[in-house]
Amino acid sequence: MIGFGKTDLGSARNNNEDSIFVSNEGVGPLENLYIISDGMGGHNAGEVASGKAIEFFVAHISEFEGVSQEGIAELMTTAVRHANRCVHNISCSDANLSGMGTTFTAATFADGKLYIAHLGDSRAYVVRPQGIRQITEDHTYVNDLVRASIISDEQARTHHLRNVITRALGSEEHCEVDAYVLNVQEGDRFLMCSDGLSTMLEDPAIEATIAESSGLESAIIQLINAANESGGYDNISVIMIGEGGA
């Protein structure tokens, strides 16, 4: 698998609070590593939170020399919790950064499996001939309402509280992390994105844009362009991963 990524300011923001990390080479015991982190907070706190979260996560992973396949999910989850403590400590020690936090979605591939550690409302998708499917769960107040059948998916897209996140890295001393393991099938492509993409484009539009693109890098550019054409109200970060760069 090989991945490419790009982050974009969007059409309405003055600064980019998203951070991404793309490594097709080993990071510590992991064969590869891809991360989307979408920060929040006043002043420049959001971009500090997203950047530092990645920095602390990668540094923790890099301390290890080896890990079994069974231990990959636990290693990633532990690294997210470590990054959470470090970012939270910074927010507590600097009044300008108080209350900052970030979404965090990290992925790695090993021996035919995809491993994800996730919290927040950035997303990971798998794209197959049968269609596009969201792998991760949005940790938002509005998604909780959808799951409880209080509002519909369509109502959720325009709900006035759709940006309220229920889990974020760094905003509290402890965090709850979702871990996913997925068997990779031949021809699978994977999309990771911040909500600057998913709030501008519905899943069918994302799928169609990827299908019409000539490759992974082209898909990234076309997705960002489409999100900006739809309003670009937030920063837009996209990572595409597939076999041989196709």
Side-chain angles (χ1 to χ4, degrees):
M1 305 297 282
I2 187 169
F4 304 91
K6 182 177 174 62
T7 184
D8 186 84
L9 183 62
S11 303
R13 296 295 182 92
N14 295 320
N15 65 312
N16 194 341
E17 296 187 328
D18 287 3
S19 296
I20 66 172
F21 181 89
V22 176
S23 179
N24 295 308
E25 300 179 352
V27 177
L30 304 182
E31 298 177 12
N32 45 66
L33 184 59
Y34 311 97
I35 306 171
I36 292 273
S37 186
D38 177 1
M40 60 185 187
H43 305 287
N44 295 320
E47 60 193 70
V48 172
S50 64
K52 286 294 184 182
I54 291 177
E55 178 184 329
F56 291 128
F57 179 90
V58 172
H60 186 80
I61 293 289
S62 299
E63 292 177 357
F64 293 81
E65 294 183 356
V67 63
S68 66
Q69 186 172 356
E70 295 76 15
I72 292 175
E74 179 60 28
L75 173 61
M76 294 180 69
T77 299
T78 300
V80 174
R81 291 174 178 150
H82 169 77
N84 179 80
R85 289 191 298 272
C86 293
V87 171
H88 182 69
N89 287 342
I90 292 174
S91 73
C92 291
S93 62
D94 186 335
N96 289 324
L97 302 178
S98 178
M100 71 176 178
T102 184
T103 72
F104 198 86
T105 305
T108 189
F109 296 84
D111 298 322
K113 294 182 182 295
L114 165 65
Y115 298 85
I116 295 175
H118 164 79
L119 71 167
D121 66 348
S122 293
R123 292 181 175 180
Y125 293 88
V126 59
V127 184
R128 290 173 170 157
Q130 306 94 307
I132 188 170
R133 178 173 68 85
Q134 184 178 341
I135 303 169
T136 53
E137 183 80 28
D138 293 347
H139 299 137
T140 63
Y141 173 73
V142 164
N143 191 49
D144 288 345
L145 296 180
V146 172
R147 294 177 65 187
S149 300
I150 296 173
I151 63 173
S152 67
D153 287 331
E154 188 61 32
Q155 290 173 317
R157 294 194 65 82
T158 57
H159 197 283
H160 67 289
L161 296 177
R162 63 187 179 278
N163 294 323
V164 176
I165 298 174
T166 55
R167 289 194 220 171
L169 187 155
S171 59
E172 298 181 0
E173 185 177 359
H174 302 287
C175 68
E176 184 179 353
V177 186
D178 285 351
Y180 302 86
V181 181
L182 181 73
N183 289 321
V184 177
Q185 300 178 11
E186 184 176 356
D188 278 353
R189 287 170 293 172
F190 297 90
L191 164 68
M192 300 171 65
C193 66
S194 62
D195 70 335
L197 179 73
S198 58
T199 57
M200 292 295 97
L201 302 178
E202 295 188 37
D203 290 0
I206 292 174
E207 180 183 5
T209 302
I210 294 172
E212 294 165 2
S213 302
S214 59
L216 299 178
E217 292 180 282
S218 172
I220 291 170
I221 294 170
Q222 295 304 317
L223 286 168
I224 290 174
N225 288 343
N228 276 318
E229 289 168 3
S230 296
Y233 300 131
D234 200 353
N235 310 137
I236 309 157
S237 293
V238 180
I239 296 173
M240 288 292 305
I241 309 159
E243 295 176 345

